[in-house]
Amino acid sequence: MLRFLLMRIASAIPVLAILSLVTFAIIQAPPGDYADYIKSQLINQGGASYAEADAQAQAYRVEHGLDKPLPVQYLNWIGGIVTRGDFGYSLYYNKPVADVVGERLPRTLLLALVCHLLASVLGITFGIWAATRQYSWIDSTLSVISFLGMTVPRFLMALIIVYLLVFQFNVSEIGSFFSPQYGGAPWSWAKFVDLVKHVWPVVAIATFGGLAYNMRVMRGNLLDTLNAQYVETAKAKGLTGGAVVMRHAVPNALHPLIMYQGVVLPYMLTGEIETAIIFALPTVGPAIVGSMAVGDVYVTATFMMVLSATLIIGNIIADLLLVLLDPRVRQFGER
């Protein structure tokens, strides 16, 4: 197992290096940089002439190395990460990129993990429930829920909830994790309840999409598994229906969902990102959009690298879970 894990980590390093290069190049492809953003601000809000603003923008490029060729900028950025753990300096937030990531990434990961756990538990449970009651009203109702969860865009659901909260229920505290009185207060039950009141739309929307996928896949695979010969043999031996389903059918039907764990964390992160942008929560989503809008390349590139790393880590975790679940995979991996 340790050898398998080390091999997967070693193979992930060149993949991450290639992703960093491609990501950096794509982010830099559109014309303009943060110095152009400064120039437009000086002209539109500072009243500076075009020549004055352009001179200050050029001086800013020289000071921060934005005038160097793209390969040099990339090597400086990746070299700082490898040698010093320095992800660069955020020009827009005026602080190290590591601080920006450290402020927003834990919140995003926590929300994504909560959504993933809820989507997995509820989706698998509903999938088993629907498969064992095929063609009943329960199966039909859950199928409709699954269809809606997989087809309705998450940003549309977020916009509908924002409209209802603001214009129908007169909720004004949108765009933060806590009410003003709980912002700097120590943790308590009241503060936790206040947090839930602010983040439940994001959790509900991201969970809904993952729940729908888990339920659909679990139902389909369990229906196939229930018709297998070994399941019929277990029934013939006198095992109860519940024992046959939970001990024999469900473990084998879980294989596709275990492999899905490789992409589920980035999926939940993007689901959180979409809804967090609509609700303007201080998480990864608004930071990515804001940094791209002003040309803050190091923030955007670092967050994109983080999302790529979560995909790689998710695939490694999925492989390990599959090895633990299926002895045939262990035998194949030892050859």
Side-chain angles (χ1 to χ4, degrees), residues 42-93:
L42 289 172
I43 294 174
N44 297 328
Q45 299 183 11
S49 65
Y50 181 85
E52 294 172 342
D54 187 63
Q56 292 192 42
Q58 187 59 34
Y60 191 90
R61 286 192 183 94
V62 174
E63 181 182 357
H64 292 86
L66 300 178
D67 61 325
K68 292 181 171 58
L70 180 60
V72 176
Q73 293 186 43
Y74 171 76
L75 291 176
N76 290 337
W77 177 62
I78 204 70
I81 295 175
V82 174
T83 59
R84 304 185 305 275
D86 181 9
F87 291 87
Y89 193 83
S90 172
L91 308 176
Y92 180 72
Y93 293 100

Side-chain angles (χ1 to χ4, degrees), residues 201-242:
V202 177
V203 173
I205 293 170
T207 299
F208 189 43
L211 177 153
Y213 179 88
N214 285 324
M215 180 169 58
R216 187 179 183 86
V217 173
M218 188 65 198
R219 178 187 180 276
N221 282 281
L222 187 55
L223 286 174
D224 291 338
T225 305
L226 288 174
N227 294 321
Q229 281 188 336
Y230 66 87
V231 174
E232 297 297 331
T233 302
K235 292 178 181 178
K237 289 182 178 180
L239 292 178
T240 62

